[in-house]
Amino acid sequence: MDRFELVRASFEKKAVAAENPAMKTSDYFGELVFDRAKMHKYLDAETLAAILKCIDEGGALDRKTADGVAKGMKAWAIEHHVTHVTHWFQPLTDGTAEKHDSLIDYDGKGGVIEKFDGKMLAQQEPDASSFPNGGIRATFEARGYTAWDPTSPVFIQDDTLCIPTVFVSYTGEALDYKTPLKRALKAVSDAAVPICQLFDKKVSKVYSYLGWEQEYFLVDEALYAARPDLMITGRTLMGHNSSKNQQLDDHYFGAIPSRVASFMRDLEVSAHKLGIPVKTRHNEVAPNQFELAPIFGETNLANDQNQIVMNLMNMLARKHGFVVLFHEKPFDGINGSGKHNNWSLGTDTGVGLFSPGKDPKSNLQFVTFFVNTLAAVQKHNALLKASIASATNAHRLGANEAPPAIVSAFLGKTMTDVLHKLLEVPSDTPIEIAGKKGKSLGLVEIPEIFLDNTDRNRTSPFAFTGNRFEFRAVGSYANCAGAMTTLNAAVAEQLREFKAALDAELASGKKLEIAIMDTLKPIIKSIIDVVCFDGNGYSDEWQVEAKKRGLDVETSVPEMIKEFTTPDAMKLFTSTGVYTEKELEARNEVKWETYSKKIQIESRVMVRMATNHIIPAVLEYKAKLLKEVALNKEIFGSTEGCEVELEIIGKINRFAAEIQEKATAMREARKKANVLESEYDKAVAYHEIAEDLAALRRPIDKLEEIVDNKMWPLPKYRELLFIS
Ligand code: ADP
Ligand code: MG
């Protein structure tokens, strides 16, 4: 099929009917998850008590309990026609990994039986030498193991029982995203509980919550297949802007096309069956861009659910003739995709620690957590940026869409005023609820609910939105755990330091409220004019100003990655027990290596497309023009009247020569980069190549503008971007 047939066919595609269970959502919600309700139904009393204790209080799973749970799980799974089982884990690659084993075993009588026991549930040894590990396991020592994380419920996908697991080496080092995340969640709870107990003795655990918003693009799968760059790198490496893209803002919250709506419906039903509380769906700013968000949940579980949803999206999109693009910047010149991470902390007594309270005391607790979070973000602003840095997200960083390549925090006017006021008033001034006592000078007031914080400065990478912070810098492709591990660890460290300082104040005999304010004041002073910034994060002035304030303004990803092994970062992660030094060093190796490989692949694809697609098409057009000119000369004796042809030929010559020259230089640069020994040096070299990709693209996009539309070999932006 030529390009035009492909495009026409994509427009003629009709929506595939979505699955529409003739039931209320609540009737099938969680149907495919072995959740607490299933545990009550399928487990004996002793096993039930043991596993719930394990989930709620942590601690190891003993073999007897594992066997008991496996027995109940097997009965449930077989009712759902399950035939296979897999340990499902999150290695340091994009996406998740699975190795499916059949449930059958010989029965000793010449037949087979379904077998699933505690051993299969609790632990497996995937041959894991080919997962990235940064040298922690030499490749001949292939053994790493996966172990069930009982806080993540087991679920069924198609015919397979999926067991969420951690993935660690035999010497105990984390090889995945989940293990450090769980450590960070424990660290933040351990650090927050003693502070919460100053306000309420009953608090015994603090939960970290995550509500992710997943942005993505959909493209027609046939058009996608005609674009080698999209297929192999997830983004278009070339392509001239469409005459119309997002400038009219007509896509945002517009009507969802029926083909897309049908895909979304299927996705929602599947997610709900897996207990994932998907709630909102809408068009995003760019054409063909959409967003999906669930109701927030406990961070470890919410992150698993994000990974599951991404898998589901990949699978279901195909059914509807689409491909999902999670790449942060699949198309040049229009918005990219992020994954906003709405984050908060809450106690096991049901109090949200970033929500103002009902009285001055609970307001003081809110302010305490609010200020300490900002202090953590300030201290580790460079590290937080590093936690979201990747070869793909680099296209969003600093490209006039959240996030700028500077991590600052948006507070909103109310909280900015409150912080300023707190610095002015005596430390025993209560923080009242606005309006309760009428307006009076000298009072510090907080509204019960922040109505105005819907204002949302969209240019801020870390914004307070009324009862939570929204970390917007996370990439759409990323595993949220990278960002969530760093954020929770940073806050844990800050809370510990705060508590130590507070204890010193209390030891001098001060009243609690006064001691807290006296401890908070110097912190407020140190952050209010540094990390707190409500202005335009995209402006050039902010670049200058942020640097003056001492915030990190680095834009090169390989440099950002270095932040993980600075003395401050080492101290943060080792003191909170989140990463060992060895793990940090190994992970940096993996990050640099991944960075280089991604750019290497892009560069190869780009050069090949330039050579095999663009140049031949362009020369064909040039030959056609030359023939016309020759014909003209033959008939009329001169090239008079061929000015247009000659001008185009001249341009083609120039741009084609530029492509040729840049492509050759890029191949040479790759050769040099490839022989570098250290992963860091290699990544730095590839960073330069990444910048050259944009330069090589320019003459190609110029040619797209002048070459005969019929002869252009790739689907164009206007064809990829408008789903009918
Ligand atoms: P918007 O696009 O306006 O930012 P959405 O409704 O799309 O808002 O997404 C907001 C996300 O924040 C949802 O996932 C929601 O559940 C989550 N959220 C709300 N309150 C909290 C909270 N206290 N902690 C964490 N996440 C929260
Ligand atoms: Mg949001």
Side-chain angles (χ1 to χ4, degrees):
M1 265 205 254
D2 70 12
R3 194 178 107 231
F4 294 100
E5 285 166 334
L6 281 178
V7 172
R8 207 169 305 120
S10 84
F11 267 81
E12 280 163 8
K13 269 185 199 158
K14 293 276 173 292
V16 174
E19 181 190 356
N20 262 319
M23 288 188 275
K24 299 196 296 297
T25 306
S26 55
D27 291 334
Y28 57 87
F29 188 84
E31 181 183 291
L32 298 176
V33 187
F34 199 72
D35 53 16
R36 279 172 197 250
K38 310 288 188 321
M39 288 182 185
H40 278 271
K41 186 166 168 204
Y42 289 89
L43 303 184
D44 63 68
E46 196 187 336
T47 306
L48 179 68
I51 187 66
L52 291 181
K53 189 163 183 292
C54 191
I55 293 171
D56 292 334
E57 293 167 25
L61 185 71
D62 63 70
R63 182 62 199 265
K64 187 163 166 253
T65 308
D67 276 335
V69 175
K71 190 168 163 230
M73 227 175 237
K74 179 176 144 191
W76 170 70
I78 286 173
E79 281 174 24
H80 284 87
H81 313 291
V82 161
T83 54
H84 286 70
V85 59
T86 183
H87 274 202
W88 179 86
F89 57 104
Q90 302 171 27
L92 299 177
T93 51
D94 296 320
T96 54
E98 324 177 347
K99 175 178 160 247
H100 295 208
D101 283 323
S102 158
L103 285 180
I104 55 167
D105 202 1
Y106 289 120
D107 65 357
K109 297 173 214 149
V112 292
I113 50 163
E114 275 72 30
K115 183 179 166 199
F116 180 64
D117 60 16
K119 191 161 164 284
M120 292 162 81
L121 169 67
Q123 196 166 315
Q124 264 188 10
E125 281 182 39
D127 172 15
S129 56
S130 46
F131 290 109
N133 59 67
I136 279 181
R137 284 169 307 116
T139 34
F140 56 85
E141 221 279 71
R143 295 197 311 167
Y145 68 91
T146 53
W148 181 34
D149 165 17
T151 58
S152 294
V154 166
F155 60 95
I156 293 173
Q157 212 154 41
D158 296 328
D159 57 2
T160 303
L161 188 67
C162 302
I163 301 167
T165 60
V166 293
F167 179 37
V168 289
S169 77
Y170 262 87
T171 40
E173 281 93 9
L175 298 171
D176 65 349
Y177 282 110
K178 193 187 244 294
T179 309
L181 177 62
K182 288 182 63 91
R183 293 174 185 158
L185 298 177
K186 179 171 184 320
V188 82
S189 177
D190 289 351
V193 165
I195 298 172
C196 293
Q197 284 177 345
L198 299 170
F199 298 91
D200 178 2
K201 288 260 168 309
K202 292 198 289 293
V203 173
S204 62
K205 194 166 178 175
V206 166
Y207 291 100
S208 161
Y209 293 107
L210 166 63
W212 44 265
E213 299 163 53
Q214 178 76 56
E215 292 177 338
Y216 61 97
F217 280 85
L218 287 177
V219 289
D220 184 88
E221 71 177 344
L223 295 173
Y224 168 88
R227 293 279 318 210
D229 48 356
L230 268 185
M231 275 186 75
I232 295 173
T233 72
R235 75 174 176 115
T236 53
L237 296 167
M238 51 193 69
H240 198 279
N241 274 347
S242 163
S243 316
K244 167 180 184 273
N245 44 52
Q246 66 191 40
Q247 61 276 65
L248 297 178
D249 280 333
D250 49 357
H251 186 66
Y252 195 45
F253 287 114
I256 298 174
S258 61
R259 258 179 92 193
V260 177
S262 175
F263 156 73
M264 287 176 169
R265 176 76 193 133
D266 263 352
L267 178 60
E268 280 166 359
V269 172
S270 301
H272 288 156
K273 284 185 180 170
L274 286 165
I276 303 170
V278 170
K279 192 167 164 73
T280 59
R281 47 159 132 147
H282 60 76
N283 293 356
E284 261 302 323
V285 177
N288 268 16
Q289 191 187 27
F290 306 93
E291 181 188 292
L292 158 100
I295 302 171
F296 69 98
E298 187 276 320
T299 297
N300 175 42
L301 177 62
N303 187 46
D304 282 353
Q305 294 183 336
N306 179 240
Q307 293 293 313
I308 297 172
V309 164
M310 288 170 80
N311 288 343
L312 278 178
M313 288 168 78
N314 280 329
M315 281 173 350
L316 290 170
R318 289 297 176 128
K319 175 179 157 195
H320 293 269
F322 291 126
V323 173
V324 184
L325 305 179
F326 288 119
H327 194 291
E328 282 81 0
K329 194 79 179 176
F331 302 100
D332 203 39
I334 56 176
N335 275 20
S337 301
K339 180 147 54 197
H340 296 180
N341 280 197
N342 293 270
W343 169 84
S344 68
L345 296 172
T347 66
D348 57 352
T349 54
V351 174
L353 294 170
F354 298 124
S355 301
K358 297 212 167 340
D359 51 46
K361 201 169 168 195
S362 48
N363 278 339
L364 184 58
Q365 175 170 264
F366 157 62
V367 169
T368 300
F369 280 90
F370 184 81
V371 167
N372 278 300
T373 297
L374 295 172
V377 170
Q378 172 162 315
K379 179 168 182 202
H380 294 294
N381 72 87
L383 189 63
L384 282 164
K385 189 168 71 184
S387 78
I388 54 88
S390 68
T392 53
N393 206 21
H395 295 281
R396 283 172 74 229
L397 283 170
N400 265 13
E401 47 188 289
I406 298 164
V407 171
S408 62
F410 168 87
L411 272 56
K413 184 167 180 337
T414 309
M415 283 313 291
T416 306
D417 290 350
V418 165
L419 295 194
H420 279 293
K421 198 77 182 268
L422 286 174
L423 290 178
E424 290 162 17
V425 297
S427 290
D428 59 355
T429 312
I431 308 170
E432 301 287 355
I433 292 158
K436 276 264 160 91
K437 301 228 158 143
K439 269 258 173 261
S440 92
L441 288 171
L443 271 183
V444 188
E445 293 186 323
I446 295 184
E448 261 184 289
I449 298 171
F450 287 93
L451 292 175
D452 69 328
N453 262 69
T454 46
D455 153 71
R456 328 271 179 112
N457 177 333
R458 288 278 167 193
T459 70
S460 177
F462 195 80
F464 178 62
T465 48
N467 62 351
R468 61 191 188 270
F469 286 94
E470 185 169 340
F471 191 16
R472 302 201 179 107
V474 186
S476 47
Y477 211 178
N479 186 309
C480 305
M484 286 294 105
T485 301
T486 303
L487 178 59
N488 284 292
V491 172
E493 179 195 59
Q494 174 61 30
L495 290 173
R496 280 157 57 145
E497 283 172 10
F498 169 80
K499 180 67 170 45
L502 174 63
D503 286 346
E505 293 287 344
L506 287 168
S508 70
K510 286 183 186 169
K511 237 180 88 198
L512 179 66
E513 281 81 350
I514 295 178
I516 290 180
M517 268 326 301
D518 283 352
T519 316
L520 282 177
K521 277 182 175 178
I523 305 178
I524 297 175
K525 264 200 206 107
S526 71
I527 58 169
I528 193 95
D529 293 319
V530 182
V531 79
C532 304
F533 175 65
D534 280 8
N536 179 3
Y538 300 162
S539 68
D540 295 336
E541 298 85 70
W542 174 231
Q543 304 277 332
V544 179
E545 165 76 16
K547 197 166 177 191
K548 247 193 258 158
R549 292 184 182 196
L551 296 174
D552 184 84
V553 296
E554 180 60 62
T555 54
S556 152
V557 171
E559 296 304 324
M560 289 179 202
I561 292 169
K562 270 188 166 168
E563 287 297 329
F564 275 95
T565 48
T566 61
D568 272 354
M570 288 275 191
K571 181 167 159 280
L572 159 66
F573 287 124
T574 54
S575 72
T576 48
V578 171
Y579 292 114
T580 62
E581 289 191 9
K582 191 173 164 192
E583 286 170 338
L584 286 168
E585 276 158 8
R587 272 162 199 261
N588 270 10
E589 295 291 301
V590 171
K591 284 186 189 146
W592 282 316
E593 194 184 338
T594 308
Y595 179 87
S596 301
K597 282 184 176 160
K598 289 220 162 152
I599 308 292
Q600 184 186 44
I601 292 169
E602 287 192 346
S603 157
R604 283 184 184 151
V605 173
M606 177 109 186
V607 169
R608 284 179 199 168
M609 284 175 76
T611 316
N612 302 337
H613 288 74
I614 307 303
I615 296 282
V618 163
L619 294 185
E620 198 182 328
Y621 182 47
K622 180 178 149 185
K624 191 177 153 205
L625 294 176
L626 282 173
K627 263 185 222 143
E628 279 169 27
V629 176
L631 205 58
N632 198 82
K633 202 166 173 195
E634 202 182 303
I635 297 172
F636 303 111
S638 84
T639 58
E640 214 187 299
C642 296
E643 289 72 24
V644 175
E645 289 90 330
L646 290 172
E647 194 190 325
I648 298 175
I649 291 168
K651 281 188 182 162
I652 288 179
N653 288 342
R654 272 204 309 285
F655 291 133
E658 193 182 337
I659 292 172
Q660 201 71 352
E661 181 199 315
K662 293 203 158 116
T664 310
M666 190 173 281
R667 255 191 233 111
E668 290 307 312
R670 276 209 314 267
K671 273 190 206 149
K672 286 210 187 97
N674 292 346
V675 295
L676 294 172
E677 288 280 316
S678 109
E679 293 297 350
Y680 166 72
D681 290 343
K682 208 183 272 186
V684 170
Y686 269 106
H687 175 64
E688 273 176 37
I689 296 178
E691 303 201 323
D692 295 340
L693 286 171
L696 176 50
R697 171 185 190 135
R698 225 171 298 126
I700 298 178
D701 291 354
K702 289 269 183 216
L703 283 168
E704 187 186 317
E705 261 188 315
I706 56 173
V707 167
D708 185 350
N709 185 44
K710 287 200 293 294
M711 293 185 163
W712 197 252
L714 302 167
K716 297 187 172 185
Y717 270 26
R718 62 161 187 268
E719 294 153 357
L720 290 165
L721 278 172
F722 296 93
I723 283 173
S724 52

